[in-house]
Amino acid sequence: MSIHSIPLPPAQARAIWLHAQRLDASTPFGAGPAAVKLAAEHLGYVQIDTINVIERSHHHILYTRIPDYRLGDLEQAQSVDKSVFEYWTHALAYVPTTELRHYLPAMEQRRLKPHASFADVDEADYAALLKRIRKEGGLSIRDIDDDVLVEKTHPWGSRKPSKKALRWGFFIGDLVISKRTGMLKTYELAARHFGWQRRPQTVKEKQIAQYLLRRALTAQGMVSLDSICYGSVQAKPLVKELIDAAVKRKQLIPVHINGAPKSQHWLEPEWLDALIAAPTRERVHILSPFDPLVIQRKRLDLFFHYEHRFEAYVPADKRVLGYFALPVLAGDRIVAALDLKMDRQAGKLLVQQWTWMEKKSKSLKAAVEEELHRFEQFQKQSMKIVRPSGR
């Protein structure tokens, strides 16, 4: 630990992170598809997940920061405005199209060094698939009915070889997911979807490291090497060089949370001068387990002294918080974890388990229940037909 590292009170560290995540404001990004674009650009990514006991994580994360969010807003952002696209960060995620060039090197790397799982993709069949999409337009796996079926090699795999070919095209950047209906993906030629005359110019490793640092400073405020490079461990040496240079120029200041001197962090100088006003009331958020505030479990524990357990794949008799527990943020504290499930037939949100992380009070319980009611209304959107405007 550098002797120049400044200790910060835990409450200040939490305030910085919450402000950077825009969880301390009511409508930080506005509303509609434009808000989806702004949220994705600010957060850096919005993680996608398939679990559907409540509304899927990508919608949930956006709803947390866009109170008037509608499911069709994301569809329009992806399919009409094309302001976000899907690709791999630390997991499959929606990423702002403004940052697409920083993902092109990963696409080229996958083309040059394909994963073993794609070894049996036939080049002629893949070329024929691209030709078909070029002629017919975007295709989903359901649109392909002439495959010779094979045995699955993975529980989440498909008997249709075309599914692997579509995924291959996606990972190397020939194809883009132009639309998502539930978890059914429509694949389109990337050049046609984005209107490219030619493929954008790729970037160098140092530019990617600069992007990761900038993304983390924007979305986290107070950053560590691990939090910057989450899902991009290979970038650590270059990112550390950038941090060291920024510290010398006084563009970044070394800090640590009081009581945790071994966890080195950095922030921009203006954070030390800024007085983040305490909210007039404690905002309550029911967070997705894949929310940017939650997904980095060690960081969450360091800042909030809360160790989240994701137990969907844990045997029932070994679960502590429940199958799909959601942390409840009240002000700057994780006060509870709720295992929720939407009964779509009855139109009701069910609380499977309620685990308190601090002493229960009538006022706190009432505040959480008020947010649960609002959350239930959000869940009911998927029971309706939602269409984006402009289509």
Side-chain angles (χ1 to χ4, degrees):
M1 173 59 63
S2 167
I3 59 171
H4 301 296
S5 181
I6 299 173
L8 297 183
Q12 185 179 4
R14 288 194 295 272
I16 290 170
W17 192 13
L18 290 172
H19 186 68
Q21 279 289 303
R22 297 300 188 259
L23 290 170
D24 61 349
S26 57
T27 54
F29 301 111
V36 171
K37 174 182 182 291
L38 292 175
E41 288 176 349
H42 184 86
L43 298 173
Y45 60 84
V46 176
Q47 185 171 337
I48 298 168
D49 191 72
T50 60
I51 294 177
N52 197 32
V53 291
I54 59 169
E55 195 52 71
R56 291 185 173 95
S57 66
H58 37 290
H59 294 303
H60 185 171
I61 292 165
L62 291 168
Y63 157 81
T64 300
R65 295 160 178 83
I66 308 171
D68 295 327
Y69 173 74
R70 297 291 179 263
L71 306 187
D73 294 343
L74 178 55
E75 184 179 347
Q76 176 159 331
Q78 177 176 23
S79 304
V80 182
D81 301 340
K82 299 166 187 174
S83 59
V84 297
F85 71 101
E86 296 186 30
Y87 205 66
W88 197 265
T89 54
H90 65 280
L92 188 62
Y94 284 101
V95 183
T97 303
T98 50
E99 304 294 356
L100 187 147
R101 64 197 182 102
H102 293 103
Y103 293 84
L104 294 177
M107 296 174 187
E108 290 304 315
Q109 186 68 12
R110 288 184 169 106
R111 187 191 297 272
L112 294 172
K113 295 183 179 179
H115 190 272
S117 62
F118 293 113
D120 57 349
V121 173
D122 183 88
E123 288 186 18
D125 289 345
Y126 178 63
L129 178 64
L130 293 182
K131 184 177 180 181
R132 179 175 174 181
I133 294 174
R134 189 173 293 111
K135 180 181 179 181
E136 299 179 19
L139 294 176
S140 74
I141 190 62
R142 288 184 188 171
D143 297 321
I144 300 173
D145 55 11
D146 55 355
D147 270 358
V148 177
L149 302 183
V150 298
E151 292 300 318
K152 286 186 180 184
T153 57
H154 191 281
W156 296 322
S158 172
R159 296 189 64 201
K160 294 182 177 181
S162 292
K163 182 172 182 180
K164 187 177 291 187
L166 288 169
R167 292 184 67 246
W168 167 244
F170 165 76
F171 275 112
I172 65 175
D174 289 343
L175 300 176
V176 67
I177 297 169
S178 60
K179 182 179 179 179
R180 181 182 282 269
T181 307
M183 296 309 287
L184 180 67
K185 294 166 281 193
T186 297
Y187 293 83
E188 174 61 284
L189 299 176
R192 186 159 63 193
H193 177 77
F194 291 115
W196 294 338
Q197 295 301 314
R198 61 179 63 182
R199 195 178 179 89
Q201 189 173 4
T202 189
V203 297
K204 305 294 185 183
E205 286 186 0
K206 185 174 181 180
Q207 290 171 290
I208 295 173
Q210 290 169 334
Y211 160 64
L212 293 174
L213 177 57
R214 170 171 53 83
R215 184 180 75 177
L217 286 169
T218 300
Q220 299 170 15
M222 181 171 160
V223 302
S224 69
L225 194 56
D226 285 340
S227 75
I228 298 165
C229 299
Y230 186 66
S232 304
V233 178
Q234 72 283 356
K236 279 188 174 183
L238 275 176
V239 170
K240 186 59 169 64
E241 287 181 17
L242 292 173
I243 291 172
D244 290 343
V247 169
K248 286 181 180 178
R249 295 192 298 268
K250 301 187 186 310
Q251 293 172 333
L252 289 179
I253 296 175
V255 296
H256 64 274
I257 297 176
N258 213 350
K262 292 184 179 180
S263 295
Q264 181 68 76
H265 288 72
W266 297 267
L267 48 68
E268 293 171 301
E270 51 264 34
W271 282 110
L272 291 181
D273 301 326
L275 293 175
I276 302 173
T280 54
R281 64 178 180 86
E282 287 194 331
R283 297 186 185 278
V284 176
H285 294 290
I286 298 170
L287 299 174
S288 166
F290 304 105
D291 193 278
L293 195 81
V294 179
I295 193 62
Q296 296 194 39
R297 306 284 192 248
K298 290 182 180 179
R299 178 177 168 88
L300 180 69
D301 190 18
L302 176 66
F303 279 67
F304 289 88
H305 301 294
Y306 167 75
E307 186 176 351
H308 186 68
R309 293 171 58 94
F310 181 68
E311 300 176 330
Y313 305 115
V314 174
D317 61 340
K318 296 187 182 300
R319 291 175 193 150
V320 175
L321 301 179
Y323 176 82
F324 199 67
L326 312 177
V328 179
L329 177 72
D332 70 343
R333 308 171 340 268
I334 304 290
V335 299
L338 304 178
D339 182 22
L340 302 181
K341 179 179 180 180
M342 187 63 186
D343 183 341
R344 292 181 174 87
Q345 187 171 2
K348 292 183 178 180
L349 184 65
L350 307 178
V351 181
Q352 309 279 76
Q353 181 176 327
W354 187 318
T355 307
W356 285 101
M357 299 301 159
E358 64 174 53
K359 188 176 180 180
K360 180 175 68 171
S361 69
K362 286 184 179 180
S363 60
L364 184 56
K365 188 171 187 292
V368 175
E369 286 176 339
E370 181 182 346
E371 182 57 27
L372 270 170
H373 175 71
R374 199 175 75 86
F375 194 66
E376 182 179 61
Q377 302 312 305
F378 163 63
Q379 302 300 314
K380 290 180 179 180
Q381 283 193 53
S382 58
M383 300 163 62
K384 307 171 185 176
I385 298 175
V386 180
R387 289 287 180 265
S389 59
R391 295 197 68 185

